[in-house]
Amino acid sequence: MLSWAVTFLIIAIIAGVLGFGGIAGTSAGIAQILFFIFLVLFVISLFRGALRR
């Protein structure tokens, strides 16, 4: 999940440098959503791991 967020972030940076504003904004938004999903899943897995012990 984190690799997808990084991939979309790189696409957004490259598109921004080349002047494609719409594609850069969309890619950055997707990267942000994927990153937050990753964070939520990570926190859930931390709590589940702590509760098992």
Side-chain angles (χ1 to χ4, degrees):
M1 181 78 63
L2 188 59
S3 64
W4 282 97
V6 171
T7 302
F8 277 105
L9 179 63
I10 291 172
I11 290 172
I13 291 171
I14 292 172
V17 168
L18 295 177
F20 299 108
I23 296 172
T26 303
S27 295
I30 293 171
Q32 187 177 16
I33 290 168
L34 288 174
F35 181 72
F36 285 127
I37 291 172
F38 167 77
L39 281 179
V40 168
L41 292 175
F42 178 69
V43 169
I44 290 171
S45 67
L46 280 178
F47 284 131
R48 288 185 73 191
L51 291 176
R52 285 189 184 183
R53 293 183 180 193

